[in-house]
């Protein structure tokens, strides 16, 4: 009798242990992906298009939700639109209050900072097969921090040159043979200045992602190396500072380049040979009826490189349904989803299988081609917080208070201090 | 009449009578002030939750390393010590003082001038009252956009084009460390002087006409009427406006955020802008809270000085 009773108790205990072990395992990994389970997932999105196109954006996300619902019929996906302004503040305060979304949108430097603070859930083990080979390499690098993936890419942006073909011809240039190297561009820039034009825009009020890093990379330099060493003041990187300094000193860029944030009107008014911009600039040009342009490649000194952010969907570390949320991210970055989203927003799709959306659009096809040169910025926890410092050193250089080497050295010092904090 | 517990001889009441007296007094007090206490409850609750708690919590945060997410890590006085060696924080304080110098007196002077203009009582002053007040109710974003266009640092900028008519070289404005702060202050003066106008206008209504009549009989000129009657009698308004514009100037954020992003070279990084960057870009809430407390000490100190200097009552009898 004793053994019988004991046996039942032992069996019960073993069953309970097994049960709790399973639950713990599921809880630790953020719930299960049982296709019949019911849950509500909240996704924070942003206005990726102008107000006129907002209803179409809503449709695109609604379709994404419905696509996911086909696979997970009992899961409700709630899209909430958050304005761009102060978005990190909103996300962080919501997450700090253990609220906020299961899935939200980030760019690489924010991702590194958030991942470093433990805000995000690594999703490598939660995704399953997501078609790794279909994504372009740089976009997957952009969602990876310390060898862990924290999201899947939704969009890519690429910065490159748009030339005013009228001015180009006036200067003896050929729209079919646009500058490829620093030397070729600078030769043309000198001619432009002599004719009373600016060579290009330079919006020094923007982040170094747009105003410095592309030139550092083109010169073969780096800001912070992959193993976390500061390289912004190494000889190759300093060439990037020198390039900007020469442009400013030789009046190739406008006088207010130190702190302005918008030089597109100058280009549209026909005062500048080239405009360093993105697909969004192209959309504005078309909207304003500006037709005399040709799209050129990002330049090369040692290598061709440019900046282009990679927008991604990430999973919140707070989410109670991390596995489901990761599956939602996978679904929202499927070929179908990326085609619909990028076709509307005019970004470059990070999946090769979605690139066909621009087969009929000559300009976007060129930008999609150049996207392979686009780096997503500096992926390091301090990359975002150190940006104002680097921007200030660059401005000091342009004001003539520092030489390029001094500006690079003080930028390196600022990065070091930020790393020490 | 009188208190029934007091003895006729005036000696102290019997000890047993004391609690009854206290209870009676409390009841009387409660009957008299009950409504006041009841009406005070909501505001006290509101104050405790939305003011007192954040003030005390942020004081606690100053002693921690807290990136908003997770639990704050206690680090003692490290944030406070760091403040003293943070050159950027001192630069931000200096920038804020500079902004105040460009902002406070022009805001008060312009507000007073506008109030005097609309106080003439002539036809159409109501219309101008509305026009002068318009910037106050207009969004900072809109005004900043207009000012960015006006003060573009290229030849095609509106103000530069105007200066060009007089042969003046195009100015850098927002790309120049000194001019950028002046443009920022100009924008804020433009945005706020409508409010100060209203305060002064209200003050002008309370200056009795008899003073002016008596002075006019004595042969006082307009100049004398203003400096000897209007200006001194507006002293409480000067004091109030000085305090609120000073506090406002030390809290300046919007225009620095929208127009210059704190640049060029941190020349328009004000203390609140720096606080915002430290808190929400660098995720150092502890240090940002130290900056908030430093800001509080500065504003509190200046308000005390202003109270001493301007808080004198002026009475003409």
């Amino acid at each position: 009798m004793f053994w019988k009773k004991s046996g039942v108790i032992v069996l019960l205990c073993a069953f309970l242990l097994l049960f709790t072990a399973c639950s713990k395992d599921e809880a630790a990994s953020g719930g299960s992906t049982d296709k019949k389970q019911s849950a509500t997932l909240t996704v924070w999105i942003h206005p990726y298009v102008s107000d006129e196109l907002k209803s179409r954006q809503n449709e695109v996300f609604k379709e994404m939700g419905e696509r996911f619902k086909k696979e997970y019929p009992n899961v409700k996906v709630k899209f909430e639109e958050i304005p761009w302004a102060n978005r990190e503040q909103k996300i962080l305060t919501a997450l700090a209050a253990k609220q906020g979304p299961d899935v939200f949108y980030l760019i690489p430097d924010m991702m590194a900072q958030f991942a470093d603070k433990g805000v995000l859930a690594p999703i490598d083990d939660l995704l399953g097969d997501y078609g790794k080979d279909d994504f372009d390499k740089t976009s997957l690098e952009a969602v990876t921090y310390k060898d862990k993936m924290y999201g899947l890419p939704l969009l890519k942006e690429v910065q490159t040159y748009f030339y005013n073909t009228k001015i180009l011809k006036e200067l003896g240039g050929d729209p079919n043979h646009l500058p490829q190297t620093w030397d070729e561009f600078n030769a043309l820039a000198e001619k432009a200045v002599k004719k009373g034009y600016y060579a290009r825009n330079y919006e020094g009020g923007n982040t170094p992602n747009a105003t410095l890093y592309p030139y550092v990379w083109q010169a073969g330099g780096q800001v912070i190396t992959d193993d976390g060493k500061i390289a912004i003041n190494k000889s190759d990187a300093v060439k990037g500072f020198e390039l900007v300094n020469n442009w400013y000193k030789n009046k190739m860029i406008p006088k207010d380049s130190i702190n302005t944030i918008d030089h597109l009107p100058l280009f549209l008014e026909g005062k500048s040979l080239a405009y360093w911009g993105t697909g969004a600039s192209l959309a504005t040009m078309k909207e304003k009826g500006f037709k005399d342009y040709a799209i050129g490649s990002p330049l090369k000194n040692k290598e061709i490189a440019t900046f282009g952010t990679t927008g991604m969907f990430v999973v919140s570390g707070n989410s109670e349904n991390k596995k489901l949320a990761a599956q939602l991210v996978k679904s929202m970055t499927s070929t179908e989803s990326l085609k619909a989203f990028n076709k509307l927003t005019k970004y470059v799709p990070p999946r090769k299988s979605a690139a066909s959306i621009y087969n009929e659009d000559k300009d976007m096809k060129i930008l999609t081609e150049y996207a392979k040169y686009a780096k997503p910025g500096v992926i390091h926890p301090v990359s975002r917080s150190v940006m104002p410092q680097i921007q200030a050193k660059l401005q000091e250089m342009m004001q003539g208070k520092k030489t390029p080497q001094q500006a690079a050295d003080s930028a390196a010092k600022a990065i070091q201090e930020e790393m020490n904090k | 009449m009188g208190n029934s517990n007091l003895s006729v001889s005036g000696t102290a009441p019997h000890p047993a009578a004391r609690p009854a007296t206290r209870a009676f007094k409390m009841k009387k007090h409660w009957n008299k002030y009950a409504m006041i206490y009841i009406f005070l409850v909501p505001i006290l609750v509101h104050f405790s939750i939305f003011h007192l708690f954040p003030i005390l919590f942020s004081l606690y945060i100053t002693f921690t390393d807290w990136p908003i997410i997770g639990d704050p890590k206690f680090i003692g006085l490290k944030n406070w010590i760091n403040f003293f060696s943070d050159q950027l924080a001192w630069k931000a304080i200096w920038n804020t003082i500079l902004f105040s110098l460009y902002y406070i007196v022009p805001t008060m002077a312009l507000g007073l001038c506008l109030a005097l203009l609309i106080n003439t009582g002539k036809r159409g002053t109501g219309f101008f009252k509305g026009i002068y007040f318009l910037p106050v109710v207009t969004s900072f974003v809109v005004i900043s956009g207009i000012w960015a266009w006006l003060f573009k640092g290229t030849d095609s900028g509106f103000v530069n084009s105007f200066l060009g008519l007089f042969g003046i070289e195009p100015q850098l404005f927002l790309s120049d460390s000194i001019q950028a702060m002046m443009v920022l202050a100009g924008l804020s003066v433009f945005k706020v002087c409508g409010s100060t106008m209203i305060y002064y206008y209200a003050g002008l209504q309370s200056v009795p006409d008899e003073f002016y009549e008596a002075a006019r009989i004595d042969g006082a000129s307009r100049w004398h009427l203003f400096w000897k009657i209007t200006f001194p009698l507006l002293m409480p308004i000067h004091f109030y406006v000085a305090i609120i514009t000073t506090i406002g100037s030390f809290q300046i954020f919007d225009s620095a955020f929208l127009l210059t992003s704190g640049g060029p070279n941190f020349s328009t990084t004000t203390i609140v802008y720096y606080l915002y960057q430290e808190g929400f870009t660098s995720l150092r809430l502890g240090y940002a809270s130290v900056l908030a407390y430093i800001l509080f000490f500065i504003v509190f100190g200046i308000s005390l000085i202003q109270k001493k200097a301007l808080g004198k009552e002026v009475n003409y009898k």
Side-chain angles (χ1 to χ4, degrees), chain A residues 58-59 78 94 145 155 160 172 176 229 236 242 264 309 387:
Chain A
N58 292 341
E59 275 170 33
K78 220 166 80 185
Y145 173 66
L155 62 92
T160 194
N176 297 317
K229 287 185 182 131
D236 281 339
E242 284 167 355
L264 186 56
T309 197
M387 275 182 186

Side-chain angles (χ1 to χ4, degrees), chain B residues 108-120:
Chain B
M108 292 177 71
L110 202 60
L112 179 57
C113 289
L114 294 177
L116 289 169
L117 283 174
I118 60 168
N119 194 41
T120 53

Side-chain angles (χ1 to χ4, degrees), chain B residues 181-252:
Chain B
M181 186 55 98
M182 289 178 174
V183 174
L184 230 64
L187 183 149
S188 301
V189 171
F190 174 74
K191 174 89 172 81
V192 172
C193 67
S195 297
T196 51
M197 172 192 78
I198 295 296
Y199 298 130
Y200 277 118
Y201 181 66
L204 288 170
Q205 306 301 305
S206 62
V207 180
D209 281 344
E210 300 86 60
F211 293 159
Y212 294 114
E213 283 164 22
R216 276 193 205 103
I217 290 166
D218 289 340
S221 65
R222 277 187 167 191
W223 182 254
H224 282 110
L225 290 179
F226 176 75
W227 284 111
K228 300 290 178 188
I229 298 173
T230 312
F231 194 80
L233 281 177
L234 286 176
M235 205 48 98
I237 308 291
H238 295 319
F239 173 61
Y240 177 70
V241 173
I243 293 282
I244 58 161
T245 48
T246 304
I247 293 172
S249 71
F250 274 84
Q251 291 175 339
I252 188 69

Side-chain angles (χ1 to χ4, degrees), chain A residues 76-111:
Chain A
K76 193 179 165 196
V77 182
K78 220 166 80 185
F79 291 99
E80 290 174 3
E81 190 178 296
I82 307 295
W84 287 111
N86 306 330
R87 67 187 192 281
E88 52 196 312
Q89 187 182 338
K90 283 171 192 137
I91 294 167
L92 286 168
T93 44
L95 295 181
K98 306 281 178 206
Q99 290 172 346
D102 297 281
V103 172
F104 55 100
Y105 175 87
L106 282 182
I107 53 172
D109 46 14
M110 283 170 84
M111 179 276 292

Side-chain angles (χ1 to χ4, degrees), chain B residues 113-292:
Chain B
C113 289
L114 294 177
L116 289 169
L117 283 174
I118 60 168
N119 194 41
T120 53
K122 288 181 181 162
R123 273 183 73 183
T125 47
F127 171 73
F128 284 103
K129 223 183 281 178
I131 292 289
Y132 298 150
F133 196 72
L134 201 59
V136 179
V137 291
T138 309
S139 145
F140 235 120
V141 178
V142 174
I143 296 182
S144 298
I146 295 169
W147 278 63
W149 173 74
L150 288 175
F151 289 96
K152 222 180 232 182
T154 54
D155 311 0
S156 58
F158 182 84
V159 177
N160 269 336
S161 303
F162 180 73
L163 292 176
L165 298 177
F166 304 97
I168 300 171
E169 282 269 296
Q171 303 295 304
L172 282 174
F173 293 126
L174 299 174
S175 288
D176 181 272
S177 300
I178 297 168
Q179 289 176 344
M181 186 55 98
M182 289 178 174
V183 174
L184 230 64
L187 183 149
S188 301
V189 171
F190 174 74
K191 174 89 172 81
V192 172
C193 67
S195 297
T196 51
M197 172 192 78
I198 295 296
Y199 298 130
Y200 277 118
Y201 181 66
L204 288 170
Q205 306 301 305
S206 62
V207 180
D209 281 344
E210 300 86 60
F211 293 159
Y212 294 114
E213 283 164 22
R216 276 193 205 103
I217 290 166
D218 289 340
S221 65
R222 277 187 167 191
W223 182 254
H224 282 110
L225 290 179
F226 176 75
W227 284 111
K228 300 290 178 188
I229 298 173
T230 312
F231 194 80
L233 281 177
L234 286 176
M235 205 48 98
I237 308 291
H238 295 319
F239 173 61
Y240 177 70
V241 173
I243 293 282
I244 58 161
T245 48
T246 304
I247 293 172
S249 71
F250 274 84
Q251 291 175 339
I252 188 69
F253 170 77
D254 315 51
S255 46
F257 183 73
L258 293 164
L259 211 57
T260 57
S261 306
N265 187 21
F266 295 119
S267 61
T268 56
T269 297
T270 59
I271 186 91
V272 178
Y273 184 80
Y274 185 49
L275 183 161
Y276 172 81
Q277 275 198 327
E278 281 296 305
F280 295 105
T281 305
S282 303
L283 304 184
R284 286 190 282 263
L285 255 286
Y287 189 63
S289 300
V290 168
L291 294 172

Side-chain angles (χ1 to χ4, degrees), chain A residues 270-325:
Chain A
K271 291 180 177 168
S272 178
L273 164 68
Y275 185 79
W276 175 254
T278 62
S281 329
L282 179 66
T284 311
M285 285 178 212
K286 286 182 175 172
E287 198 182 298
K288 302 276 178 193
F290 188 85
K291 289 174 183 163
D292 304 314
Y293 65 85
I295 305 175
S297 145
L299 299 179
K300 176 185 176 181
N301 188 32
K302 267 192 183 167
E303 60 180 91
I304 307 180
T306 183
F307 168 73
T309 197
T310 298
M312 68 189 87
F313 277 125
V314 296
V315 174
S316 161
N318 276 352
S319 174
E320 288 174 2
N321 296 298
K322 292 188 187 74
K323 270 188 178 174
L324 262 184

Side-chain angles (χ1 to χ4, degrees), chain B residues 6-36:
Chain B
L6 280 176
S7 63
V8 179
S9 60
T11 54
H14 189 275
R18 272 180 201 153
T21 311
R22 213 172 285 145
F24 176 77
K25 278 183 179 171
M26 276 178 73
K27 198 178 171 191
K28 201 176 160 191
H29 181 85
W30 176 247
N31 285 342
K32 195 174 173 186
Y33 296 111
M35 288 311 283
I36 294 175

